[in-house]
Every structure is written in structure tokens, then in C-alpha cells.
Amino acid sequence: MCDTGDQQTTAAVLVKEPAATIVETLKDVTSYEGEDAVFECRLSRATTQDAQWFLGDVPLQSNEMNEIGVQGTRHTLILRKVTLEDCGPISFKVGQHTSAA
């Protein structure tokens, strides 16, 4: 704001977060039934953008069967005690970017 006493003007600054990109893609995992399957993806920067894991077309949430973690630029998914029904494509999406295994 600029105020000269009898006149005043204001402006605003808008700062946008640069989009994160995927710099380390997902790799295929083979596990025996009853074991955990661990997937990892690294981004170009830590971000507040929404990141989402999918099994097929189903979005995954952290619960007793799926552990989703974030440490800086590293995003991990652990599928606990996998079964044959867990076979299928895993994907990770952030912004416009996707990686699959």
C-alpha cells in the first residue's frame, strides 16, 4: 500500500508454487503372497501439491493395509501382506505427472 495522506493505492503479490516433476520413477515389484510390497517415487522438490497413489483405477489411502509416507521429495507406498488380488498396476500422480509400475 502507498499512502500520501490524501491519496492511497494498493497492490497484491501472488506467489505460485512451481510444479514438481517425477525424477525417480516407480519400479516393478514382485512379492510372495503375505509379504509387503514397497514402491518409491522421488520428486524434483518437496511440494504441497496433492500426490495420489492408485492400484488400478482405485485411489489408495493410508490404512492397515496400505502405508503411504512422505519424507521431503521421497514418496512411498507399502502394500501390507499382499494377496493375489493385489496384482495389478500401481501408479503415482502429482500435478500433471504420472509414474506407473
Side-chain angles (χ1 to χ4, degrees), residues 39-43 47 51 53 69-70 72-77 92:
F39 297 89
E40 181 176 301
C41 198
R42 283 195 191 269
L43 302 182
T47 180
W53 289 94
V70 179
T73 62
R74 184 175 158 249
H75 291 251
T76 56
L77 167 67
F92 175 81

Side-chain angles (χ1 to χ4, degrees), residues 3-82:
D3 189 341
T4 63
D6 60 341
Q7 291 183 327
Q8 190 179 79
T9 185
T10 60
V13 62
L14 175 64
V15 179
K16 293 183 178 182
E17 179 182 27
T21 58
I22 297 171
V23 296
E24 188 177 311
T25 59
L26 294 175
K27 294 176 180 42
D28 292 341
V29 172
T30 301
S31 294
Y32 288 102
E33 195 168 21
E35 293 182 341
D36 293 347
V38 180
F39 297 89
E40 181 176 301
C41 198
R42 283 195 191 269
L43 302 182
S44 58
R45 59 190 305 279
T47 180
T48 58
Q49 286 178 279
D50 288 336
Q52 181 68 60
W53 289 94
F54 294 86
L55 175 57
D57 293 330
V58 178
L60 299 175
Q61 303 294 325
S62 241
N63 56 37
E64 66 278 351
M65 297 306 294
N66 311 312
E67 182 181 325
I68 296 173
V70 179
Q71 285 186 309
T73 62
R74 184 175 158 249
H75 291 251
T76 56
L77 167 67
I78 302 172
L79 299 178
R80 300 272 181 217
K81 298 179 179 159
V82 294

